[in-house]
């Protein structure tokens, strides 16, 4: 089989977890990918400087003029000719429309929404790892799809669960899909009752059994907020109703998600937990990239287990379904308030169970913002959510 032509890649969020693993994929497949532009906040400048030297990126975007100055100093010390440097809060958004074959959006937070829309509007294939683009800005993305300005096929998910679903969906036609089954490890408190979790500490919540992630995502995985966010993402990505998206607990994190078809068949995607696989697939979509991640060892005895989700102990998934069904900017409120509540829990200002309980009260108190017209509407809803959550915390 002939090797597909090499793709030019714009990498947004290059110094974060997704960005650094994407660069590892590029190292392993230099005949498939070439990084032509990088975007990062600019801290630390040494990391970004090393990436510029390694990739030979022609253009780099950083968040501030100060970060641009520090990057120039690092590159000068390395004897490397500086590339074109874009600086400012909108630099990554401008870079997202840069001429290329695929844009990987690994930016964290709502700062990634503008680049997502810019990449889609420019007609680029978008490898999407920025969840806020669909949780907070799903209405804006969907409006483009519904108008015909953007094709849903332009968006290729990077999250392991959604990548798995995208792969399983190749096994049948859209009208043959009965439901999507999103798997969850269950986190560190799988099998615990709500009462047992009352005095959980941040140290306990950080002890994820499978993945090594940042603090917010790790706490979200403990509360299963993260799984609720993934249900909303699955709806936005694949256009499947919330009543046809299920969550099942799978402690081994080997089955990354499944699709059930109308004839009773269920197709699952299995692999060891390694984010380089879904990153490589998103960059090369629909073609696979050889030898980027380890495969299953079928010579070793192993078991795969599945358990129903205990929604009494973990009510976050049901709350997320309500949020998704409400639409508008409620997803933005959900996500932003949760970030502040997680921060308060880590700082010891609220208890573990208060995260989801306070999140529910914040959502219930939200005014009707209507459908968002632009990013400013999404950010306004997020600001209200943070202020309301902080008021709840103070009480």
């Amino acid at each position: 089989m002939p090797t597909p032509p090499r793709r030019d890649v714009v990498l947004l969020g290059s110094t974060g977890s997704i960005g650094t693993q994407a660069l590892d994929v590029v190292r392993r497949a230099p005949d498939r990918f070439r990084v032509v532009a990088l975007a990062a906040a600019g801290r630390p400048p040494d990391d970004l400087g090393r990436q510029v030297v390694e990739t030979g990126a022609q253009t780099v975007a950083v968040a501030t003029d100060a970060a641009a100055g520090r990057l120039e100093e690092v590159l000068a010390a390395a004897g490397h000719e500086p590339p074109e440097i874009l600086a400012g809060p909108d630099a990554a958004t401008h870079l997202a429309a840069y001429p290329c074959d695929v844009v990987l959006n690994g930016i964290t937070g709502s700062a990634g929404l503008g680049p997502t829309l810019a990449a889609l509007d420019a007609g680029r294939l978008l490898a999407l790892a920025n969840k806020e683009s669909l949780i907070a800005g799903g209405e804006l993305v969907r409006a483009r799809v519904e108008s015909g300005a953007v094709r849903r096929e332009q968006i290729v998910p990077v999250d392991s669960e959604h990548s798995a679903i995208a792969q399983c969906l190749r096994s049948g036609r859209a009208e043959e899909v009965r439901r999507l089954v999103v798997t969850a490890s269950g986190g560190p408190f799988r099998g615990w009752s709500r009462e047992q979790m009352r005095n959980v500490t941040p140290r306990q919540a950080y002890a994820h059994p499978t993945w090594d992630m940042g603090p917010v995502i790790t706490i979200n995985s403990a509360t299963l907020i993260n799984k609720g966010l993934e249900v909303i993402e699955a709806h936005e990505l694949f256009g499947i109703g919330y009543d046809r998206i299920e969550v099942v607990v799978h402690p081994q994190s080997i089955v990354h998600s499944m699709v059930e078809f109308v004839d009773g068949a269920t197709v699952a995607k299995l692999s060891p937990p390694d984010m380089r696989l879904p990153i490589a697939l998103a960059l090369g979509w629909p073609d696979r990239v050889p030898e980027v991640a380890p495969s299953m060892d079928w010579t070793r005895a192993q078991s795969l287990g599945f358990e129903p989700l205990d929604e009494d102990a973990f009510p976050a998934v049901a709350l997320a379904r309500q949020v998704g069904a409400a639409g508008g900017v409620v997803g933005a409120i959900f996500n932003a308030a949760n970030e502040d509540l997680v921060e308060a829990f880590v700082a010891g200002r609220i208890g573990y169970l208060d995260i989801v309980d306070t999140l529910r009260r914040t959502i219930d108190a939200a005014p009707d913002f209507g459908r968002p017209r632009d990013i400013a509407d999404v950010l306004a809803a997020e600001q209200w959510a943070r202020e309301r959550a902080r008021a709840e915390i103070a009480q």
Side-chain angles (χ1 to χ4, degrees):
M1 180 177 177
T3 300
R6 188 167 69 166
R7 287 184 170 179
D8 287 345
V9 177
V10 169
L11 180 52
L12 311 180
S14 65
T15 57
S17 175
I18 294 295
T20 54
Q21 291 180 88
L23 286 172
D24 189 49
V25 169
V26 173
R27 289 186 203 102
R28 292 165 182 262
D31 59 327
R32 296 289 301 275
F33 308 114
R34 178 181 67 160
V35 174
V36 296
L38 298 165
R43 300 183 305 273
D46 289 349
D47 288 354
L48 181 56
R50 282 191 290 270
Q51 291 178 347
V52 173
V53 172
E54 177 187 355
T55 64
Q58 302 157 12
T59 306
V60 179
V62 292
T64 64
D65 290 333
R70 289 193 296 269
L71 178 60
E72 288 176 340
E73 293 172 0
V74 168
L75 293 174
H80 187 83
E81 186 71 22
E84 176 188 17
I85 300 178
L86 309 178
D90 296 324
T93 298
H94 292 305
L95 196 64
Y98 193 87
C100 67
D101 297 299
V102 56
V103 175
L104 192 156
N105 187 352
I107 294 173
T108 300
S110 295
L113 176 55
T116 282
L117 298 177
L120 292 175
D121 290 344
R124 307 291 179 251
L125 183 70
L126 175 65
L128 184 61
N130 174 261
K131 70 178 185 302
E132 286 79 8
S133 294
L134 297 178
I135 302 301
E139 290 268 357
L140 301 179
V141 174
R142 196 180 330 116
R144 284 165 163 77
V145 172
E146 291 173 351
S147 71
V150 166
R151 294 174 291 106
R152 191 183 294 274
E153 294 76 19
Q154 282 178 245
I155 307 173
V156 183
V158 169
D159 278 354
S160 63
E161 293 83 359
H162 303 100
S163 176
I165 291 170
Q167 293 173 67
C168 294
L169 285 171
R170 292 181 174 186
S171 298
R173 299 188 304 274
E175 61 270 22
E176 294 176 321
V177 174
R178 176 176 288 158
R179 61 175 177 166
L180 310 181
V181 183
V182 180
T183 54
S185 71
F189 309 124
R190 179 176 62 87
W192 289 36
S193 68
R194 178 177 171 86
E195 186 58 34
Q196 286 175 305
M197 289 186 279
R198 187 166 299 282
N199 296 314
V200 159
T201 66
R203 180 184 291 273
Q204 289 174 299
Y206 282 145
H208 195 279
T210 306
W211 298 95
D212 181 14
M213 305 172 291
V216 174
I217 297 178
T218 304
I219 301 296
N220 284 351
S221 295
T223 61
L224 264 66
I225 285 284
N226 206 45
K227 207 52 53 178
L229 297 174
E230 288 171 8
V231 168
I232 297 174
E233 288 181 87
H235 169 77
E236 295 291 348
L237 281 166
F238 306 113
I240 300 293
Y242 286 102
D243 60 334
R244 296 166 57 206
I245 304 174
E246 302 294 333
V247 173
V248 64
V249 175
H250 169 56
Q252 294 81 14
S253 297
I254 294 297
V255 176
H256 293 273
S257 277
M258 301 174 274
V259 174
E260 180 183 302
F261 292 92
V262 293
D263 60 355
T266 298
V267 176
K269 181 263 178 179
L270 286 72
S271 68
D274 190 318
M275 282 303 298
R276 289 173 299 181
L277 195 157
I279 289 170
L281 185 60
L283 292 177
W285 186 264
D287 299 310
R288 295 187 181 275
V289 183
E291 309 301 332
V292 294
S295 57
M296 295 291 296
D297 180 4
W298 298 112
T299 66
R300 181 174 59 86
Q302 52 197 307
S303 299
L304 303 177
F306 301 93
E307 307 166 8
L309 175 64
D310 182 350
E311 294 200 358
D312 291 330
F314 298 97
V317 173
L319 178 59
R321 293 182 193 280
Q322 297 173 23
V323 167
V329 294
V330 183
I333 294 169
F334 181 60
N335 187 67
N338 176 67
E339 289 179 354
D340 275 42
L341 291 165
V342 168
E343 181 181 322
F345 165 66
V346 171
R349 300 200 305 274
I350 63 173
Y352 178 76
L353 295 180
D354 293 328
I355 298 174
V356 177
D357 290 349
T358 309
L359 185 55
R360 185 184 297 279
R361 291 198 301 273
T362 301
I363 292 168
D364 288 344
D368 182 4
F369 285 91
R371 296 192 68 176
R373 297 159 297 179
D374 50 31
I375 295 176
D377 287 348
V378 173
L379 297 180
E382 287 193 341
Q383 182 61 31
W384 178 90
R386 295 184 191 281
E387 292 173 358
R388 179 70 188 203
R390 290 166 190 167
E392 292 277 356
I393 292 165
Q395 293 177 8

